[in-house]
Amino acid sequence: MTTTVPRPPKRLSVRDRLLRLAETVTTPLLPEDYLDLVAPLRAGAALRGRIVEVRPETPDAATVVIKPGRGWQGHSPGQYVRLGVDVDGVRQWRAYSLTCPPDGADGRIAVTVKAIPDGKVSNHLVHRARPGTIVQLDQAQGDFVLPEATPERVLFLTAGSGITPVMGMLRAGLHTRADVVLVHSAPTAGDVIFGAELRALAAAGGLRLVERHTDVDGLLGVHELDDLVPDHAERETWACGPVGMLDAVEGYWTSRGLADRLHTERFRPTVISAGEGGAVTFTGAGVTVEADGATPILDAGENAGVLMPSGCRMGICYGCVLPLRQGAVRDLRTGDLTTAVPGDGVLIQTCVSAAAGTCDIDL
Amino acid sequence: MTVIQKKAVNPIAHLSAEDIEILGKELDAIRDRVLAERGESDATYIRKVIRTQRTLEISSRAVLLFSLFPPAWVVGTAGLAAAKILENMEIGHNILHGQYDFMRDPKIHSTTWEWDHVSPAEQWKHSHNQLHHTYTNVLGKDNDLGYGIMRVDEDQKWHPMHLGQPLWNFINACFFEYGIAAYDLELGRNLQKGRHKSPEFRARARAVGRKIRRQFLKDYLVHPLLSGPSFLSTLAATFTANLIRNLWSHSVIMCGHFPNGVETFSRTSIEGETRGEWYLRQMLGSANISGSRLMHIMTGNLSFQIEHHLFPDLPSKRYQEIAPQVRALFDRYGLKYTTGPLPKQVASAWWKVIRLSLPNRDAARREPVTPALASGAA
């Protein structure tokens, strides 16, 4: 708790007064705890959504259609939303790209999820989630979006579930405003998420689609782009896919001085095997855990029962940031070391930081 | 170890240090099995209990708006008392033990939960989870043994004040939540030693004051006012509901450690205590209540006090599941699993309060007759 200078008393609005009265009626709970029983999606409630449909796309991918609560503020094509899903009784948060146009029917939104091996949440959503289930939501975020002025020529480089933010842009009608080339990789034709829709769009002349089936043709080499899309250097490019692909694309674009024309979205952190580890103390919670050098501090805390703020779990949303009071942590993506001495409060992202020795986290 | 009943036979004399460690390992295995299964069903269960409790509370309070009519008064009071019992026992007590922290739901978490009780959750967690559960039944360390106002063991020193303890206990039962709040504040000790001026104590006392004020406002002013002409009868109804809740939780809690058959331990007996010995102390220091499923829910599954003390952070509904396994261990290791129906256990605990209000008949028997529990103790 911080102490603040006493503020001059503010005049309370009628609404605030009513709210205070309601709180005296329900204390120690809040009125919302009772309202949530009957109207979890009402305006003013913590943002949630109700799953209305789970539609299979490929054998291991499905589109989850969600009716968001009244507080949903909409999104821009290409953005993602964080979902809090209870899997085996444990709330798990993950970020998924929105694949629906921004002004979808009935105010519904959709994300398309690919089940990754051992993926707790993705497998749950694809194979086990049922309509009617309430999920927790955050407002849409992310800057993997088109600029205000639509570029004339666009190149999308995608692989696997990397197609999802791009699908959001296409469904919003991008292909009607720009010359679009999409180069997409998937193991087989059947693994192409939205395959039928993309091919129909290409057949109708909406975009040029280059499909790469890596089980047959092997991985796409970045140099092949010179032949596949000869004018790629003149195109504004958005790339989304596995880490290896993004690293290669970024290297290629940078080496040719085109870095400012490239936009990338990384869904999963590049996890490096950092050494060390150590005792992590969550000072406020009074909990100390031994964590190895590969376990994110977020996971270490959660496994010890500490209620951790969390977000995308991939280092992009900053929803899990906490002050490091002392000690050292290592960024699992880059291997960078961050240290703090007592008195410091260096903010670190707990989802991509692991203990690099003893450390105290202010929580 | 000192034994309340001064039995001629030391109840653990037949166990070797190795036996105790193996016993500990067997209990760890039970815990691991539950942890491996813990998940969806536990989350669904607590959400359902919370939903039921809230629905019961709202509807009872709604009925009490018309408490001028005697049937409404009776139904509303009974419903509200049941709701309050459920809230304190199966929901509050267990969530504050961290039994549902694994869900990672900020709404159902030991660090965010506040209960319908005048002792702030934070203070209660310290005195209960930390002190009582660590020092279970250790004389001089576990203040739950008589709450600092009563003598419930032969080895506690008699004082003329104890003559009145049946009365204190009755008053404490009626106003149990205030007793707990005072206990969590360590009011007696702090006032006696003049520590009440310390900023730390004052801050905690203020927190209790705030909580009391809010609880009072809700139960004895706002809801009666909302009832309009039924003001006084609603006031009486809420008072009665709180009284019933207090008497009930006091009874259940007395049954946990006071009935006949429960052992207590000397201060030195826990020096160098191993994990196996810690488990053994929890086993011997707690007592269960037998009964129906509804009865277990209404006691917050503290009817499985033994299982709860062995594994305080496992979801409470699991205690009933593992009770047969735990009991089999008691049998196999020749230990006494103290249990009985509620009336019997309550009577047993009350009899002890009454009996020990008088000094021990035979002072010589106050000498410890059994060896220390912990191998490291002298």
Side-chain angles (χ1 to χ4, degrees), chain B residues 107-178:
Chain B
K107 280 276 179 192
I108 306 178
H109 196 275
S110 63
T111 53
T112 59
W113 192 266
E114 190 55 76
W115 58 344
D116 185 53
H117 197 285
V118 294
S119 177
E122 208 49 52
Q123 297 189 22
W124 180 82
K125 276 192 291 183
H126 174 73
S127 63
H128 180 84
N129 292 2
Q130 207 169 324
L131 301 182
H132 167 59
H133 273 269
T134 309
Y135 301 115
T136 313
N137 282 22
V138 176
L139 289 166
K141 287 218 140 197
D142 179 7
N143 289 326
D144 272 40
L145 281 176
Y147 311 115
I149 54 170
M150 290 186 300
R151 182 169 171 266
V152 291
D153 187 271
E154 264 86 355
D155 284 341
Q156 287 174 319
K157 205 174 156 207
W158 184 84
H159 193 273
M161 181 196 87
H162 290 126
L163 284 171
Q165 72 180 25
L167 180 63
W168 318 148
N169 197 37
F170 178 69
I171 296 171
N172 187 33
C174 294
F175 302 98
F176 195 44
E177 60 171 329
Y178 295 92

Side-chain angles (χ1 to χ4, degrees), chain A:
Chain A
M1 283 282 232
T2 47
T3 2
T4 47
V5 185
R7 268 172 289 197
K10 210 173 63 177
R11 275 187 68 86
L12 288 173
S13 67
V14 178
R15 190 175 174 277
D16 288 342
R17 281 168 196 273
L18 280 175
L19 211 63
R20 286 222 178 153
L21 180 67
E23 278 170 22
T24 56
V25 172
T26 61
T27 190
L29 299 176
L30 297 171
E32 62 183 58
D33 294 322
Y34 288 98
L35 290 172
D36 284 350
L37 293 178
V38 284
L41 303 186
R42 71 190 187 282
L47 192 57
R48 305 183 183 91
R50 179 181 280 118
I51 297 180
V52 288
E53 191 189 349
V54 182
R55 194 167 57 226
E57 296 283 354
T58 66
D60 62 354
T63 292
V64 183
V65 183
I66 295 166
K67 168 123 187 92
R70 297 274 295 279
W72 176 252
Q73 290 166 5
H75 74 282
S76 301
Q79 283 192 311
Y80 62 86
V81 62
R82 296 204 312 117
L83 294 186
V85 186
D86 292 336
V87 183
D88 296 333
V90 182
R91 183 153 304 166
Q92 310 276 357
W93 285 87
R94 297 289 187 275
Y96 295 106
S97 291
L98 288 149
T99 49
C100 56
D103 42 4
D106 315 330
R108 291 171 179 187
I109 57 171
V111 295
T112 303
V113 181
K114 183 175 185 298
I116 51 173
D118 303 324
K120 219 180 255 174
V121 181
S122 60
N123 277 290
H124 177 85
L125 284 173
V126 172
H127 301 298
R128 293 194 296 278
R130 293 285 166 266
T133 309
I134 296 283
V135 294
Q136 316 297 313
L137 289 180
D138 256 2
Q139 298 294 348
Q141 16 179 341
D143 46 15
F144 191 73
V145 291
L146 298 169
E148 260 176 50
T150 310
E152 267 175 48
R153 285 189 286 173
V154 173
L155 168 63
F156 290 123
L157 291 173
T158 59
S161 59
I163 184 66
T164 52
V166 168
M167 200 66 215
M169 296 182 192
L170 290 175
R171 283 176 172 167
L174 171 70
H175 57 284
T176 60
R177 304 193 300 272
D179 167 5
V180 178
V181 178
L182 166 60
V183 179
H184 179 68
S185 297
T188 68
D191 290 317
V192 175
I193 305 174
F194 315 120
E197 188 175 347
L198 289 170
R199 284 163 210 141
L201 201 58
L207 62 91
R208 188 156 86 79
L209 173 66
V210 180
E211 272 187 60
R212 174 78 164 210
H213 304 139
T214 52
D215 275 2
V216 191
D217 308 322
L219 287 181
L220 181 79
V222 73
H223 293 278
E224 292 179 54
L225 283 174
D226 295 337
D227 293 330
L228 288 173
V229 192
D231 64 344
H232 66 270
E234 285 102 61
R235 288 179 177 267
E236 197 79 12
T237 301
W238 278 264
C240 184
V243 172
M245 175 195 127
L246 293 180
D247 287 346
V249 170
E250 274 175 0
Y252 194 56
W253 256 252
T254 306
S255 69
R256 298 192 305 161
L258 298 170
D260 58 333
R261 314 206 68 179
L262 178 71
H263 314 270
T264 56
E265 177 96 306
R266 285 173 184 272
F267 276 172
R268 305 194 66 72
T270 330
V271 176
I272 63 150
S273 50
E276 304 184 64
V280 183
T281 302
F282 299 93
T283 42
V287 172
T288 301
V289 286
E290 275 301 324
D292 63 35
T295 304
I297 286 169
L298 173 59
D299 292 353
E302 285 182 340
N303 292 339
V306 180
L307 187 62
M308 304 282 293
S310 74
C312 62
R313 292 170 182 272
M314 52 178 97
I316 53 179
C317 80
Y318 288 80
C320 65
V321 169
L322 288 173
L324 172 68
R325 278 165 55 142
Q326 59 172 313
V329 299
R330 194 184 298 279
D331 189 314
L332 286 168
R333 299 164 300 179
T334 59
D336 289 347
L337 211 58
T338 302
T339 56
V341 295
D344 285 357
V346 185
L347 296 176
I348 58 151
Q349 291 173 276
T350 58
C351 72
V352 289
S353 300
T358 308
C359 46
D360 288 1
I361 304 291
D362 197 357
L363 176 69

